[in-house]
């Protein structure tokens, strides 16, 4: 059976699913933030926060917000309201896929969508804090570790700040870039 996969902006009705996914992913690491903190991060940059649906089910989400390089959200506080920020560094704060739907490319799909969003915004880099031993996963996706940025224990024992440049859209000489099919839709089985 094949179901449609769609990435779309995070909406008010998604919060119960997002909070559950976040709690299940991060409680065991001691890093679950709770609804208020998550909502404050999304409110700081609603245009860079998305969910991925598989059929009618919310299968995952990504929360990202502009942050200066080598800085990241404080897990013990809600995000302060900020005005529009200049493009530069987009910090990928959370990306979670439901356990029963992992290894189907949904995380990769969210990351591609976020990268395209960063490119469209004019961001030069995407950063994140790898937690729970995920540094090899992020390294395989082009992120480079920057040790010493995250103080020991702040995001767990093995947390490491990582970043990668946002590649410019490829153009063929003398031709405008091709319009790809809608990147928010695809099929999975």
């Amino acid at each position: 059976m094949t179901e449609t996969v769609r990435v779309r902006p995070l909406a008010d009705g998604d919060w119960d699913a997002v909070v559950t996914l976040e709690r299940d992913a991060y409680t065991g690491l001691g890093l679950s933030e709770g609804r208020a903190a998550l909502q404050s991060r999304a409110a700081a940059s609603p245009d860079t926060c998305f969910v991925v649906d598989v059929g009618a089910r919310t299968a995952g989400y990504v929360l990202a917000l502009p942050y200066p390089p080598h800085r990241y959200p404080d897990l013990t506080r809600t995000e302060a309201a900020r005005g529009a920020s200049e493009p530069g560094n987009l910090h990928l704060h959370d990306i979670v896929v439901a356990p029963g739907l992992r290894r189907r490319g949904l995380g990769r799909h969210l990351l591609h969508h976020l990268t395209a969003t960063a490119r469209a915004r004019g961001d030069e880099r995407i950063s994140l804090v790898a937690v729970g031993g995920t540094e090899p996963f992020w390294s395989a996706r082009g992120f480079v570790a920057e040790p010493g940025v995250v103080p020991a224990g702040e995001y767990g024992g093995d947390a490491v700040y990582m970043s990668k440049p946002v590649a410019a859209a490829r153009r063929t000489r003398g031709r405008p870039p091709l319009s790809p099919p809608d990147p928010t839709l695809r099929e999975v089985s």
Side-chain angles (χ1 to χ4, degrees), residues 169-187:
R170 284 193 262 167
R171 289 183 57 124
T172 55
R173 196 165 29 154
R175 292 186 199 160
L178 295 174
S179 295
D182 186 347
T184 66
L185 296 173
R186 71 181 192 99
E187 304 277 323

Side-chain angles (χ1 to χ4, degrees), residues 56-178:
R57 177 180 179 190
T58 300
Y61 72 92
V62 62
L63 298 180
L65 56 162
Y67 251 80
H70 303 112
R71 300 213 27 226
Y72 45 86
D74 181 338
L75 295 178
T76 65
R77 298 177 184 211
T78 57
E79 204 62 41
R82 296 185 268 165
S85 65
E86 293 294 317
N89 186 69
L90 186 61
H91 187 77
L92 192 171
H93 180 66
D94 262 357
I95 187 168
V96 176
V97 173
L101 296 170
R102 292 182 184 154
R103 300 198 175 278
R104 295 185 182 192
L106 298 173
R108 184 175 60 245
H109 199 56
L110 279 168
L111 185 57
H112 286 312
H113 190 81
L114 184 65
T115 301
T117 300
R119 186 177 298 114
R121 283 174 32 87
D123 289 309
E124 298 168 0
R125 299 195 74 73
I126 296 175
S127 63
L128 58 86
V129 176
V131 299
T134 60
E135 183 180 347
F137 173 87
W138 293 111
S139 291
R141 280 137 191 91
F143 286 84
V144 176
E146 299 182 42
V149 174
V150 180
E154 192 166 323
Y155 268 66
D158 58 355
V160 63
Y161 183 91
M162 303 180 80
S163 70
K164 78 172 192 173
V166 175
R170 284 193 262 167
R171 289 183 57 124
T172 55
R173 196 165 29 154
R175 292 186 199 160
L178 295 174

